[in-house]
Amino acid sequence: MAAFDIYPEYEIVRNNERCTNCRVCEKQCANGAHIFLTDKNRMAADDAKCVNCHRCVAMCPVRALKIVKTDHTFRENSYWTGKSIKEINRQAESGGVLLSSMGNPETYPVYFDRILLNASQVTNPSIDPLREPMETRVYLGSKPEKVVRDEKGRIKVDLPPHIMLSIPVMLSAMSYGSISYNAHESLARAAAEAGILYNTGEGGLHENLYNYGSNTIVQVASGRFGVHKKYLSSGAAIEIKMGQGAKPGIGGHLPGTKIVGDISKTRMIPEGSDAISPAPHHDIYSIEDLSQLIYSLKEATGYSKPIIVKIAAVHNVAAIASGIARSGADIIAIDGFRGGTGAAPTRIRDHVGIPIELALASVDNRLCDEGIRNRVSIVAGGGIRSSADVVKAIALGADCVYIGTAALIALGCHLCRSCHTGKCNWGIATQREDLMKRLNPDWGYKRLVNLLNAWKHEIMEMMGGMGINAIESLRGNRLMLRGVGLNEKELEILGIKHAGE
Amino acid sequence: MNVSARRLGSRALNDEIRRAEEDIIIEDCFGERYIGSGASSITITINGTPGNAMGAYLDGATIIVNGNAQDAIGDTMNDGKIIIHGNAGDALGYAMRGGKIYVKGDAGYRTGIHMKEYKDKRPVIVVGGSTGSFLGEYLAGGIIIVLGMESEAFPVGDFTGTGMHGGLIFIRSSTPPAKLHKQVTVSLADDSDMGFINEYLMEYADTFGLSIDEILRKPFYRLAPNAKNPYKQLYTIY
């Protein structure tokens, strides 16, 4: 219906003086945006197919390409934006739910960017991490109420299971199926090299990756794909996924077209069958039911592994977290509304959930007020972009953070937010063999390890600047934070003072 | 080996079971939870009433309950067999992938939700009496059979098979099911269907000492998914 044609969002600009018609761009674009015109002996482009993933730009040997946002425009209207008009047209045409990927890209406040860190001057001198010991190691798990000694005065060591991380960062859940095997292998190897943990997501664990078990969190979600005794026993921790920041309140759906080969084998469902994770766990309608799943997992693994319960940051997150802390969980993972996904209904992704900074601060407050903060560790995720976000999250009360999007960017993701098409030109969110092999795990994991090492050093420098030499002393240390441009209520929830106070 | 559950509590009892290298008989069971979680190879016989989440992640063991069982039995079960000589509670066989659950009496709400099958793994639930609503929702594989032996009423509740995209449900009844979701198709089981489930019906009759002729006295209705990919047309990619 040409009358309603939607003008492309991006335009491919080709410098024809540089272009040598080598056709690399054509080969690299799984979306078919580049076409070679044989009769005219030159390249052409179909802008409508471009997702702005920069693959062609990066691969062009003569730098002849760039992608620009189109300046074609609707009549200016600050309320009915071009985006709104285009989305209505899409839906009027198809009758379908708008689907998109990665995290919420809209212009909501970013509290991390309204919080500044402290540094020592004169008194309580700063510490140079290059010449003084600096502890970035953290242990996640339930901590005892108090130290208990036997009759000879020795400390009784009867701790629940813990996981040890060299830095307070873990790689968050991304399932095999939503991302490629090479991406999964890169995550597993990076976690092992960096001394941290990665998370299988809900798609099971590929048989080749079982030997990274001590650096693996195995996830149990409502679909229970690939969950069996060996899987549960192989990880260092088990995560029950109740919710996800990118799509709180709804389930998952990996279309049957992606259930092929090893994905089918790993998820233990037939090829071509849809993998549907129902919105709720249909055996969990209460904290008591959740507790039951936690303990059945503990029983199945002989109480040898901490159980993580992951929830999306939503309105009543503090009360929910309080319930979870009392349910027998060892770790609570809270996923903010900026968290990524391989596919989510756009309206859910962009309008449901709350910022992780506020959720984290209110959960930490609530658990401290109730005297149960020691029972659980807190993992904050959903939009952690840098080591500064990590430090701020820890000072707001987290034990460690989950990173997903940042890890994928290290592996080559250019955030074109088209994961749901399955045609990821960078070999991450795809199962197409030819695309997948573009991500070489040998260098993928190294890039990720580089990122983690860089962050580790930055974290140490920021801590050193504050005169703090251990992550333990930073956790929940809100005196190290000041707000800028925040109102009273925001400061109250974050539990921080305004800059200048 | 005989163990009395009296005064042991769930955790100590389950420690005993985990250590057991031979078949085990549990006496005086009064609601102890998580019995046989992840168990393989042995046979656990329970005299009494086991608590919730019995046989979760069961991986080859056999559990025989001489009494009623409670909620979340056989959650994510992978292999093995659970035989209940009484009734079962809610959420029986949730996300079960393999093995068999045979219940002599009734089962509660949400029986067999999101069961799935893979290659030689095909989970089977047979309930002798009736079940509550939401039977076989999101069913992705496996077989659920409800016999309604003791009653003339239609033996399952509402919303049966909603969201089902694999597997089969068979309901023994003189009257056809009503009010099914459009994702579910219904037909009278034909000879090949009956041949398909015969081995489970025979084993079930044998397990509980029932007459197979009595079981086959009424027709069976066969519920199957309407389309393989029920959610496919829902989205607009942009």
Side-chain angles (χ1 to χ4, degrees):
Chain A
M1 207 190 284
F4 290 98
D5 196 30
I6 295 164
Y7 196 86
E9 210 174 340
Y10 302 101
E11 289 169 14
I12 300 168
V13 180
R14 191 185 313 274
N15 183 333
N16 283 321
E17 282 182 17
R18 289 187 185 176
C19 179
T20 60
N21 292 334
C22 70
R23 299 176 72 172
V24 162
C25 49
E26 184 190 5
K27 287 188 201 82
Q28 291 293 330
C29 185
N31 301 304
H34 295 278
I35 316 138
F36 182 66
L37 304 175
T38 321
D39 52 336
K40 294 186 176 134
N41 194 36
R42 66 173 176 86
M43 294 299 306
D46 182 353
D47 295 336
K49 291 180 176 161
C50 177
V51 298
N52 195 5
C53 76
H54 289 196
R55 181 73 189 180
C56 59
V57 175
M59 299 307 284
C60 177
V62 292
R63 226 174 263 277
L65 290 167
K66 66 176 176 179
I67 314 294
V68 297
K69 193 167 169 41
T70 182
D71 54 5
H72 169 75
T73 183
F74 290 94
R75 185 153 191 162
E76 278 194 17
N77 188 325
S78 60
Y79 191 74
W80 290 100
T81 59
K83 181 169 172 281
S84 301
I85 297 168
K86 281 181 190 172
E87 285 174 348
I88 288 172
N89 277 324
R90 292 265 181 224
Q91 295 193 292
E93 194 175 296
S94 68
V97 170
L98 294 169
L99 194 68
S100 49
S101 348
M102 295 312 290
N104 185 336
E106 301 298 325
T107 55
Y108 295 97
V110 181
Y111 288 94
F112 283 130
D113 296 343
R114 302 284 175 85
I115 297 174
L116 293 168
L117 297 169
N118 192 29
S120 302
Q121 301 293 302
V122 188
T123 58
N124 183 24
S126 47
I127 302 168
D128 180 357
L130 292 176
R131 54 178 277 272
E132 290 186 63
M134 185 72 71
E135 187 59 270
T136 59
R137 189 186 297 179
V138 290
Y139 292 86
L140 304 186
S142 188
K143 311 289 191 294
E145 301 270 321
K146 55 187 175 190
V147 175
V148 183
R149 294 176 185 276
D150 64 14
E151 61 281 3
K152 287 184 178 163
R154 290 171 303 203
I155 293 174
K156 278 190 182 172
V157 185
D158 188 19
L159 287 177
H162 280 76
I163 46 182
M164 197 262 281
L165 306 172
S166 67
I167 51 168
V169 177
M170 300 196 290
L171 308 176
S172 60
M174 289 172 271
S175 74
Y176 174 47
S178 75
I179 59 170
S180 66
Y181 174 79
N182 285 2
H184 239 220
E185 184 186 322
S186 304
L187 295 174
R189 288 168 64 183
E193 177 91 4
I196 61 166
L197 271 63
Y198 86 108
N199 189 316
T200 60
E202 60 176 311
L205 180 58
H206 192 281
E207 56 187 2
N208 295 354
L209 301 178
Y210 270 84
N211 48 351
Y212 297 100
S214 54
N215 295 95
T216 307
I217 296 167
V218 293
Q219 197 181 60
V220 174
S222 64
R224 305 282 210 277
F225 298 112
V227 174
H228 49 83
K229 182 75 186 297
K230 188 182 163 206
Y231 169 82
L232 295 173
S233 309
S234 70
I238 301 171
E239 179 171 275
I240 298 171
K241 178 196 175 184
M242 296 304 302
Q244 177 180 354
K247 39 180 170 176
I250 67 164
H253 170 213
L254 194 66
T257 47
K258 290 191 182 180
I259 310 291
V260 291
D262 280 5
I263 309 258
S264 145
K265 195 173 161 191
T266 306
R267 293 199 175 219
M268 300 177 85
I269 51 170
E271 292 206 1
S273 149
D274 278 11
I276 290 162
S277 292
H281 291 243
H282 279 279
D283 55 345
I284 301 179
Y285 288 4
S286 65
I287 290 291
E288 289 74 17
D289 288 350
L290 172 65
S291 179
Q292 188 173 294
L293 182 62
I294 291 168
Y295 279 98
S296 76
L297 290 165
K298 288 187 175 189
E299 286 285 350
T301 52
Y303 292 84
S304 62
K305 297 167 200 305
I307 308 289
I308 307 169
V309 175
K310 176 178 176 176
I311 52 167
V314 290
H315 298 178
N316 285 324
V317 67
I320 296 161
S322 168
I324 295 171
R326 295 164 196 277
S327 71
D330 301 278
I331 301 164
I332 303 176
I334 310 163
D335 199 13
F337 80 149
R338 297 278 180 185
T341 176
T346 310
R347 299 296 177 242
I348 303 276
R349 183 195 67 177
D350 295 355
H351 300 278
V352 183
I354 64 170
I356 186 60
E357 303 92 319
L358 300 176
L360 170 61
S362 75
V363 167
D364 184 57
N365 259 345
R366 175 80 173 246
L367 299 187
C368 288
D369 287 350
E370 293 181 358
I372 54 173
R373 179 65 181 83
N374 64 293
R375 290 196 195 175
V376 284
S377 294
I378 297 176
V379 185
I384 303 290
R385 302 158 299 176
S386 70
S387 59
D389 290 351
V390 177
V391 170
K392 290 170 189 175
I394 290 170
L396 284 172
D399 288 82
C400 91
V401 303
Y402 261 144
I403 61 166
T405 303
L408 292 188
I409 292 172
L411 295 181
C413 169
H414 280 57
L415 272 183
C416 72
R417 308 201 302 260
S418 310
C419 318
H420 52 284
T421 64
K423 293 189 284 193
C424 175
N425 275 321
W426 293 91
I428 298 168
T430 182
Q431 301 307 328
R432 258 175 60 176
E433 201 65 34
D434 59 323
L435 300 176
M436 187 180 106
K437 70 183 183 196
R438 294 177 182 180
L439 171 57
N440 180 346
D442 287 341
W443 61 252
Y445 98 92
K446 276 185 195 149
R447 282 178 55 89
L448 195 41
V449 170
N450 283 345
L451 178 77
L452 292 165
N453 282 340
W455 283 21
K456 179 179 183 176
H457 194 75
E458 289 175 339
I459 290 168
M460 292 197 297
E461 282 195 326
M462 281 181 269
M463 278 168 40
M466 294 182 241
I468 286 174
N469 64 1
I471 287 282
E472 293 280 321
S473 319
L474 178 65
R475 187 190 319 121
N477 190 343
R478 297 180 197 198
L479 287 172
M480 293 298 129
L481 304 174
R482 288 291 187 274
V484 275
L486 296 175
N487 65 34
E488 288 281 347
K489 192 70 190 174
E490 291 166 323
L491 293 167
E492 178 195 321
I493 294 166
L494 291 166
I496 62 175
K497 291 180 174 176
H498 201 276
E501 280 189 280
Chain B
M1 182 168 102
N2 280 55
V3 178
S4 171
R6 196 179 296 264
R7 280 189 284 277
L8 268 185
S10 297
R11 189 158 172 185
L13 174 65
N14 293 322
D15 279 343
E16 291 263 359
I17 298 169
R18 263 194 298 275
R19 279 197 297 270
E21 284 167 7
E22 57 179 74
D23 292 351
I24 185 165
I25 297 167
I26 300 167
E27 305 286 358
D28 314 314
C29 193
F30 288 100
E32 284 77 9
R33 293 182 171 193
Y34 322 115
I35 292 175
S37 189
S40 54
S41 70
I42 59 169
T43 295
I44 303 167
T45 305
I46 300 168
N47 294 323
T49 307
N52 292 355
M54 181 190 83
Y57 325 102
L58 199 72
D59 204 21
T62 298
I63 303 181
I64 299 163
V65 180
N66 294 314
N68 295 324
Q70 298 189 5
D71 296 345
I73 304 303
D75 186 331
T76 323
M77 175 170 164
N78 192 50
D79 197 5
K81 195 192 274 188
I82 296 177
I83 295 165
I84 299 164
H85 290 267
N87 302 323
D90 295 340
L92 176 75
Y94 180 86
M96 177 183 173
R97 182 191 304 113
K100 293 167 188 167
I101 299 180
Y102 291 161
V103 180
K104 187 169 186 203
D106 301 333
Y109 294 103
R110 293 177 269 144
T111 297
I113 287 188
H114 211 314
M115 282 188 359
K116 50 185 79 73
E117 64 188 56
Y118 179 63
K119 291 194 173 166
D120 58 332
K121 291 204 173 295
R122 178 185 286 146
V124 178
I125 295 179
V126 185
V127 175
S130 62
T131 72
S133 296
F134 318 108
L135 174 76
E137 280 194 331
Y138 300 99
L139 196 71
I143 301 164
I144 301 175
I145 304 171
V146 182
L147 300 176
M149 295 299 286
E150 301 293 330
S151 161
E152 282 305 309
F154 191 71
V156 307
D158 296 332
F159 309 107
T160 297
T162 305
M164 91 187 261
H165 51 289
L168 293 168
I169 301 173
F170 291 93
I171 299 168
R172 175 182 174 274
S173 170
S174 313
T175 52
K179 288 196 299 183
L180 289 170
H181 194 277
K182 63 185 178 192
Q183 286 156 335
V184 185
T185 61
V186 63
S187 60
L188 258 179
D190 60 18
D191 287 350
S192 94
D193 293 325
M194 293 313 290
F196 180 59
I197 61 172
N198 187 54
E199 84 175 92
Y200 310 118
L201 296 178
M202 292 292 282
E203 190 180 0
Y204 182 86
D206 199 41
T207 302
F208 295 116
L210 300 172
S211 142
I212 186 72
D213 294 339
E214 178 59 20
I215 291 175
L216 296 176
R217 192 174 59 78
K218 284 188 194 173
F220 283 68
Y221 286 90
R222 172 188 188 272
L223 277 55
N226 201 354
K228 207 173 172 193
N229 303 322
Y231 301 99
K232 204 173 181 178
Q233 299 307 321
L234 194 60
Y235 299 110
T236 295
I237 287 175
Y238 75 121

